[in-house]
């Protein structure tokens, strides 16, 4: 990713450009019924389901799946689909004709899904508390799981959009990351696990949530290291694979 992009007319600062782009992207997202359903309704419906069904196995498991559903659909899938669609209709290309940097443009486009995921996480956590979930013993670890997971999923979305030719193809290209989230979280919340689980994206998040709700903390450092490594690796790969022009 290079350093030339554009900010919308009337914005002269990076913050102004990010805000204007974020508002515009949110409006585009709301106009697309499929994208809006995946970003808004599906994570909330899934989160309520997990609170009702999985709480008997321990609230750490239920809240882990709530968080991963939000990160997977609201952040990762929406980011991948939106960036691919904006590239194919030449919107990304037009944004590069002005003064804002590529980082500002991408931040503005991705800001709505991140803020939406944070709001959904807070709402689902409130639903879990209302359903009987205890307050986390180590809330800081949960915040790290939310922040680290959102950053990793956001960058993974940028990377995946670079190898996705159309928005429809995102249903296939997002599969491997989804599998890693689900598989890792299932193993991490099953009981005592080996250290390698921390290096699966979903496993790292699951271990942090589990530790936040009173579980063992012996693998917290590995989980945090894993989130950082996955985020950095996805960013490095996206600088080579992300495209601003439509793919053939």
């Amino acid at each position: 990713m290079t350093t030339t992009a554009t900010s919308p007319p009337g914005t002269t600062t990076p913050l102004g450009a990010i805000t204007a782009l974020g508002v515009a992207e949110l409006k585009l997202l709301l106009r697309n019924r499929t994208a809006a359903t995946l970003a808004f309704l599906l994570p909330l419906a899934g989160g309520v389901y997990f609170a009702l069904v999985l709480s008997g196995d321990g609230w750490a498991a239920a809240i882990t799946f709530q968080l991963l559903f939000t990160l997977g659909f609201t952040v990762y899938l929406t980011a991948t689909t939106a960036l691919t669609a904006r590239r194919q209709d030449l919107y990304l290309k037009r944004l590069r004709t002005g003064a804002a940097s590529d980082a500002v443009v991408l931040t503005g486009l991705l800001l709505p899904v991140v803020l939406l995921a944070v709001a959904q996480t807070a709402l689902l956590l409130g639903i879990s508390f209302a359903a009987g979930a205890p307050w986390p013993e180590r809330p800081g670890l949960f915040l790290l799981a939310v922040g680290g997971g959102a950053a990793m999923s956001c960058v993974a979305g940028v990377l995946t959009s670079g190898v996705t030719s159309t928005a429809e193809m995102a249903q296939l290209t997002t599969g491997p990351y989804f599998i890693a989230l689900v598989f890792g979280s299932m193993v991490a919340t099953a009981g005592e696990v080996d250290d390698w689980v921390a290096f699966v994206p979903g496993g790292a998040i699951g271990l942090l949530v589990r530790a936040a709700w009173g579980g063992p903390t012996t693998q917290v450092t590995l989980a945090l290291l894993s989130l950082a490594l996955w985020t950095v690796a996805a960013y490095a790969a996206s600088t080579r694979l992300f495209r601003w022009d439509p793919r053939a």
Side-chain angles (χ1 to χ4, degrees):
M1 290 178 278
T2 57
T3 57
T4 58
T6 186
S7 57
T11 60
T12 57
T13 66
L15 181 59
I18 289 172
T19 302
L21 284 167
V23 171
E25 181 60 27
L26 181 60
K27 291 179 179 178
L28 290 174
L29 180 62
L30 292 174
R31 291 174 185 171
N32 187 315
R33 291 184 180 180
T34 301
T37 298
L38 290 174
F40 288 84
L41 299 181
L42 195 56
L44 290 177
V48 173
Y49 171 81
F50 294 136
L52 296 175
V53 175
L54 297 182
S55 58
D57 298 325
W59 278 106
I63 293 171
T64 295
F65 278 96
Q66 286 179 339
L67 178 57
L68 290 176
F69 222 58
T70 301
L71 294 176
F73 282 100
T74 303
V75 179
Y76 176 63
L77 182 58
T78 305
T80 301
T81 304
L83 290 176
T84 302
R86 306 296 173 260
R87 183 181 66 237
Q88 293 305 111
D89 63 15
L90 303 180
Y91 182 58
L92 287 183
K93 188 174 182 179
R94 292 196 297 270
L95 289 177
R96 303 190 87 203
T97 62
S101 68
D102 288 358
V104 167
V105 171
L106 288 177
T107 301
L109 294 178
L110 296 174
L111 181 63
V113 298
V114 174
L115 294 180
L116 178 59
V118 171
Q120 288 175 334
T121 299
L123 177 59
L124 290 173
L125 197 58
I127 292 173
S128 295
F129 288 150
W135 184 259
E137 295 181 16
R138 307 177 185 97
L141 292 181
F142 179 69
L143 294 178
L144 288 173
V146 174
M152 178 180 65
S153 297
C154 224
V155 180
V158 176
L159 171 60
T160 307
S161 72
V163 296
T164 305
S165 57
T166 65
E168 293 73 19
M169 282 296 295
Q171 299 177 42
L172 298 177
T173 57
T174 54
Y177 185 78
F178 263 103
I179 293 173
L181 285 180
V182 174
F183 172 74
S185 62
M186 291 177 63
V187 176
T189 56
E192 187 175 347
V193 297
D194 295 330
D195 287 346
W196 65 265
V197 176
F199 291 95
V200 181
I205 295 171
L207 289 173
L208 288 175
V209 175
R210 183 180 167 194
W213 263 266
T217 60
T218 53
Q219 294 165 311
V220 164
T221 300
L222 290 179
L224 292 173
L225 177 61
S226 172
L227 289 178
L229 289 176
W230 278 110
T231 302
V232 171
Y235 173 80
S238 68
T239 60
R240 293 180 174 272
L241 297 176
F242 186 74
R243 297 289 181 270
W244 295 86
D245 295 318
R247 297 182 64 90

